[in-house]
Amino acid sequence: MQIQDLPYPDPGVPDARSGPRFLWWLFRNQLGGQLKSLAWGLLHFASVAALPFCVGVAVQAVVDRSGSHLALAGGLLALACAGNAVGDTFLHRTAITNWITAAARVQQLLARKTARLGSALTRRVAAGEVVAVSTGDVEKIGWFVEALSRFTAALVTVVLVCAGLLVYQPALGVVVAVGLPALALAVLPLLPRATRRADVQREKAGRATELASDTVAGLRVLRGIGGEELFLDRYRSASQEVRHAAVRSARMWSLISAIQVLLPGLLLIAVVWHGVGLAREGRITVGELVTVYSSVMVLTYPLRHFEEIAMAYSFSRPSAKRAAGVLSLERATDTAGSRAAEIPSGDLYDPGTGLLARAGLMTAVVCGDPDAAGRLAERLGGHPSQAGVSVLLGGVPLDDLPLDSARTAVLVQDKDPVLLSGTLRELLDVPSSGDVSPEEALAAARCDDVLAALVQGSLDAADPMDSRITERGRSLSGGQRQRLALARSLITDPEVLVLDEPTSAVDSHTEARIAQGLREVRAGRTTVVFTSSPLLLDRADRVAFLHEGEVVAVGAHRELVHTEPRYRAVVTRETDDEAAPDGSVALTDVLQELEEIEEKA
């Protein structure tokens, strides 16, 4: 896999049983790139390790006054330098490729899981945690996957050099062969503490990210109540905790780095001390002493990769654990689907509540419990987050269909839809049937003032479609965001459209116009609207009233206001003291309000 081939056609099915298993799965899925990195790493490190031998041959050639040996040493030195240059260049290239492709694979997996779980993800994992996993954790995981092949090449080189020194000069080779493993293992007792401090830093950073996300999301409200300074102080405190944790973690890694510098120095002193004694006794030549000394100095370079792999694993293990935790999340009804991919049509029926939405009609659903309404809306979309009886579309259980097919057949717009940043044209560029144009959808959602506001806020955009929308549409009011989200859903033009409180943040006059536009655009299509607004209810073909999880009444809005007191109480929001014995006062007020708004519209 090369960088230009990204994204992956299929990132695969991860082994998310644990962090180490996930890291091993990533390594196996990039085996080709790892082998390339290993090969170039071996060439690089072997060339570096060969330099001391070439220098030793050159020194001994000068001592022996041998021109042929000196020429041989020069040729070997040039060859080692060339191998070093080529190996280092392509090692860096393949290592970075492994890093980026591993990070891209993890990001694709996380994005796919997020799209699959939908709103169920944020109910089970904090938003700040998801952000931290998809940013910082992805980089740390890619770092370990990339460093593993370089560490393997360094390890093989160290073993080969130790074995070569034992053969080349056994007296000094024994010192090096014993000292180098001690150097590599000396920092192991410090790694658990360093890992714990890194985990604390990561945990505090995740909390700070979550706090910042919540503060920015609620900034408009905070300013209204004068509470922005309070939350900013909280974020400052959280960021200071992150800084202190980072300093404590850096101190431990600084200690590990210092040990990695000190111990090789002590080994060099031991080699020189022992080697000088052997040279005085005539047991080794000057060239052999220089070779062994230079080899120990050069081996400190691959030894640094032992420290790096320890750091990479310490940081990536908890990151991989968190990523695996997100990737292991499943909806209670997530299956591949026992049926072939198809887009059924017909009546939408929920056996759990008895709700029936006739094909081609606009059905309004009134439910006094907003949470229960949200769960029902999710269930109508198929594959809900909680197990239960499957909803039927044209007699076909949606839970038996592949998730993509179920979502294509039934589109559910949450009561709090999210607008992605970008231009309005990009926002409305969604999969669609092509029967509803962006202009028609925007008109039906009554977005005239929204378009004007977007143009006014974008100095370089004469066309409203080229105006930019900020992150999550925070520069727009709640009603404006609702209308743009409704327009996006109308463009999609699904077989069944489920809307959860689509006009809760707009004024009555605009709501009446939206109700009319919705009927016109969705004519002949099945539409389910969860609402308690009399304006939308009066425009619906059928109204279903849910009480304690069951449909207890079905009919026209004005009929239910007359005949069903519980329905009238939810729609008019009347209290027991305000309600007339026969409901006549409340009914008269509702009908009068409807007539006045219709005249204005």
Side-chain angles (χ1 to χ4, degrees), residues 348-357 376 379 542 544 546 549-552 554:
L348 183 68
Y349 177 66
D350 176 35
T353 60
L355 175 65
L356 175 64
L376 176 57
R379 190 161 67 248
R542 302 172 74 249
L546 269 71
E550 293 184 0
V551 175
V552 296
V554 178

Side-chain angles (χ1 to χ4, degrees), residues 11-39:
V13 180
D15 186 348
R17 289 176 290 176
S18 66
R21 288 178 181 271
F22 180 59
L23 290 174
W24 176 242
W25 178 84
L26 282 174
F27 177 82
R28 288 189 290 107
N29 276 268
Q30 295 188 199
L31 191 57
Q34 295 292 340
L35 292 177
K36 289 181 182 179
S37 182
L38 176 61

